């Protein structure tokens, strides 16, 4: 009989390559928030996939970049480094269409003593599939990869093959989590994240990255949840943008977030969302709130 296998796998890469889309696809649950804007993910989050003889514990991380050096970015980069320090294998994601300078910045962080699997994502968006082979040939030189796997996290194309490539590197170890656990994060954390996702998606460039979401109240009973969230913004002008004409923008954000909560948590959710201004944050204070989400 083969021994049970379990391991920790960090998903790393520059902002916007599809790390969170891949995590959700792998575990089959909406854990990590996704948007077309870079630096959507701010916190490390675990996603657990349990199968008969093995358990994968994936860690989604913020996109790695060195261009913006705010307190929040420093904390985000630290999370990537700490995720890389403790894993059994690394999944490095790039966009199959191009390798950028930002992608290359991550190479020095790849551990020499652990298997690194390169996933070339977004193959669905390649205009010419013939470009894939020469691209694989050139990325092969960047690091002694254990495997190189082209995938589409969005369509699911080849994600099963990627999972099996990772499985080959899981050590013999007992499960870290119960078979029915999908994440280390609380519903309260996910609730704040769903609100932040809708803000990122709907309000686009107008919304400064300084925005933070805090859950003020989370009550549960009779299969229902009553949740109150605050969106913190820097200035009264930002508050007006988040609320929108006649409150339309805020209503749309709140009802989309509520639908996600109902689907993920199961059961009815009553969600109130308030927008509050807090100016003159110390950089570190805002970074801490942005990261805690609670
Ligand atoms: N065409 C295509 N788009 C994808 C694929 N995977 C992700 N995307 C899109 O790429 C964008 C970024 O996806 P995320 O999953 O948020 O990327 P991320 O790497 O987690 O980004 P950060 O958290 O900002 O570092 C979103 O618009 C996704 O819909 C894919 O396989 N194909
Ligand atoms: Mg992400």
């Amino acid at each position: 009989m083969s021994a049970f296998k379990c391991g920790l796998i960090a998903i790393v890469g520059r902002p916007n390559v599809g790390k969170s889309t891949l995590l959700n696809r792998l575990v089959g649950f909406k854990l990590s928030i996704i948007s077309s804007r870079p630096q959507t993910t701010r916190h490390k989050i675990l996603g657990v996939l349990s199968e008969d003889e093995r358990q994968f514990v994936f860690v989604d991380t913020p996109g790695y970049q060195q261009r913006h050096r705010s307190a929040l970015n420093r904390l985000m980069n630290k999370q990537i480094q700490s995720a890389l320090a403790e894993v059994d294998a690394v999944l490095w994601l790039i966009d199959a269409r191009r390798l950028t300078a930002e992608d290359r910045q991550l190479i020095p962080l790849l551990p020499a003593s652990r298997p690194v699997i390169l996933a070339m994502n977004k193959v669905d968006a390649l205009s010419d599939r013939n470009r894939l082979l020469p691209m694989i040939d050139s990325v092969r030189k960047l690091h002694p990869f254990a495997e190189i796997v082209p995938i589409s996290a969005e369509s699911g194309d080849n994600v099963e093959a990627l999972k099996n490539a990772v499985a080959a590197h899981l050590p013999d170890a007992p499960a870290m989590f119960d078979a029915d656990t999908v994440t280390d994060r609380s519903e309260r954390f996910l609730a704040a994240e769903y609100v932040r996702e809708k803000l990122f998606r709907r309000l686009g460039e107008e919304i400064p990255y300084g925005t933070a979401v805090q859950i003020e109240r989370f009550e549960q009973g009779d299969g229902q949840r009553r949740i109150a969230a605050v969106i913190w913004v820097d200035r009264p002008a930002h508050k007006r943008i988040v609320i929108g004409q006649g409150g339309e923008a805020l209503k749309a954000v709140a009802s989309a977030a509520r639908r996600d909560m109902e689907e993920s948590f199961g059961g009815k959710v009553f969600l109130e969302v308030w927008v509050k201004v807090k100016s003159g944050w110390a950089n570190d204070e805002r970074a801490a709130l942005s990261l805690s989400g609670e």
Side-chain angles (χ1 to χ4, degrees), residues 1-5 52-54 172-174:
M1 211 185 82
S2 61
F4 196 86
K5 293 184 181 295
D52 283 348
E53 306 272 306
R54 61 196 192 187
D172 289 351

Side-chain angles (χ1 to χ4, degrees), residues 16 18-21 32-34 40-42 60-63:
N16 217 32
K19 298 178 293 299
S20 300
T21 307
S32 206
I33 64 169
I34 296 167
T40 302
T41 303
R42 288 179 178 170
D60 186 14
T61 62

Side-chain angles (χ1 to χ4, degrees), residues 209-263:
Y209 280 93
T211 309
V213 178
Q214 186 175 29
I215 301 298
E216 278 203 329
R217 187 155 49 84
F218 194 111
E219 291 163 7
Q220 193 174 350
D222 297 335
Q224 297 183 345
R225 289 165 183 78
R226 293 185 180 275
I227 303 172
V230 176
I231 298 169
W232 290 102
V233 296
D234 270 341
R235 280 181 258 152
H238 295 163
K239 178 172 173 172
R240 283 194 293 278
I241 293 169
V242 171
I243 292 174
Q245 284 277 326
E248 282 309 311
L250 185 61
K251 244 182 257 162
V253 162
S255 65
R258 178 182 48 76
R259 278 195 297 275
D260 275 3
M261 292 174 201
E262 290 184 336
E263 195 174 325

Side-chain angles (χ1 to χ4, degrees), residues 16-21 35 39-41 63 121-122 124 152-154:
N16 217 32
V17 286
K19 298 178 293 299
S20 300
T21 307
S35 87
Q39 298 199 281
T40 302
T41 303
N121 191 28
K122 310 197 185 185
D124 59 286
S152 169
E154 197 152 88

Side-chain angles (χ1 to χ4, degrees), residues 17-294:
V17 286
K19 298 178 293 299
S20 300
T21 307
L22 178 62
L23 177 85
N24 293 350
R25 168 70 60 184
L26 284 163
V27 302
F29 194 89
K30 185 184 168 84
L31 286 179
S32 206
I33 64 169
I34 296 167
S35 87
S36 58
R37 310 183 63 200
Q39 298 199 281
T40 302
T41 303
R42 288 179 178 170
H43 331 74
K44 260 197 317 194
I45 177 169
L46 295 190
V48 185
L49 173 63
S50 298
E51 297 181 343
D52 283 348
E53 306 272 306
R54 61 196 192 187
Q55 183 174 73
F56 303 79
V57 182
F58 296 104
V59 194
D60 186 14
T61 62
Y64 184 70
Q65 58 86 36
Q66 297 174 320
R67 212 164 0 141
H68 308 287
R69 289 178 181 271
S70 67
L72 177 60
N73 282 318
R74 272 200 305 278
L75 282 173
M76 284 169 32
N77 284 348
K78 249 196 214 147
Q79 295 191 58
I80 300 163
Q81 279 156 344
S82 79
L84 281 168
E86 57 194 25
V87 291
D88 298 297
V90 175
L91 245 178
W92 179 26
L93 237 68
I94 61 172
D95 185 321
R97 291 169 293 183
R98 75 193 90 84
L99 187 80
T100 69
E102 252 177 357
D103 288 313
R104 289 173 187 276
Q105 285 173 351
L106 209 128
I107 298 170
L109 300 187
L110 297 174
S113 57
R114 295 272 182 272
V116 179
I117 294 152
L118 179 69
M120 298 170 65
N121 191 28
K122 310 197 185 185
V123 289
D124 59 286
L126 268 178
S127 51
D128 177 4
R129 286 236 172 184
N130 291 326
R131 287 175 49 197
L132 201 53
L133 276 181
M135 174 89 166
I136 291 176
D137 270 342
S138 69
V139 294
R140 200 187 291 287
K141 301 180 188 112
L142 299 175
H143 183 89
F145 295 112
E147 304 264 0
I148 300 179
V149 189
I151 60 162
S152 169
E154 197 152 88
S155 74
D157 194 14
N158 226 26
V159 170
E160 188 72 15
L162 176 66
K163 191 182 79 180
N164 289 326
V166 172
H169 301 282
L170 292 178
D172 289 351
M176 284 185 240
F177 292 92
D178 290 341
D180 54 5
T181 298
V182 284
T183 185
D184 60 328
R185 296 288 191 169
S186 62
E187 287 187 357
R188 193 183 172 108
F189 170 86
L190 294 179
E193 286 289 274
Y194 294 157
V195 173
R196 202 161 61 76
E197 179 185 78
K198 306 313 167 196
L199 273 177
F200 266 57
R201 287 189 179 182
R202 286 179 181 267
L203 299 167
E205 295 305 317
E206 293 156 330
I207 286 306
Y209 280 93
T211 309
V213 178
Q214 186 175 29
I215 301 298
E216 278 203 329
R217 187 155 49 84
F218 194 111
E219 291 163 7
Q220 193 174 350
D222 297 335
Q224 297 183 345
R225 289 165 183 78
R226 293 185 180 275
I227 303 172
V230 176
I231 298 169
W232 290 102
V233 296
D234 270 341
R235 280 181 258 152
H238 295 163
K239 178 172 173 172
R240 283 194 293 278
I241 293 169
V242 171
I243 292 174
Q245 284 277 326
E248 282 309 311
L250 185 61
K251 244 182 257 162
V253 162
S255 65
R258 178 182 48 76
R259 278 195 297 275
D260 275 3
M261 292 174 201
E262 290 184 336
E263 195 174 325
S264 286
F265 307 158
K268 189 131 190 66
V269 169
F270 298 93
L271 175 67
E272 286 169 43
V273 184
W274 305 92
V275 185
K276 294 184 185 173
V277 181
K278 177 163 178 173
S279 48
W281 303 70
N283 254 345
D284 292 351
E285 186 192 358
R286 191 217 314 271
L289 176 61
S290 302
L291 282 173
S292 80
E294 295 185 15

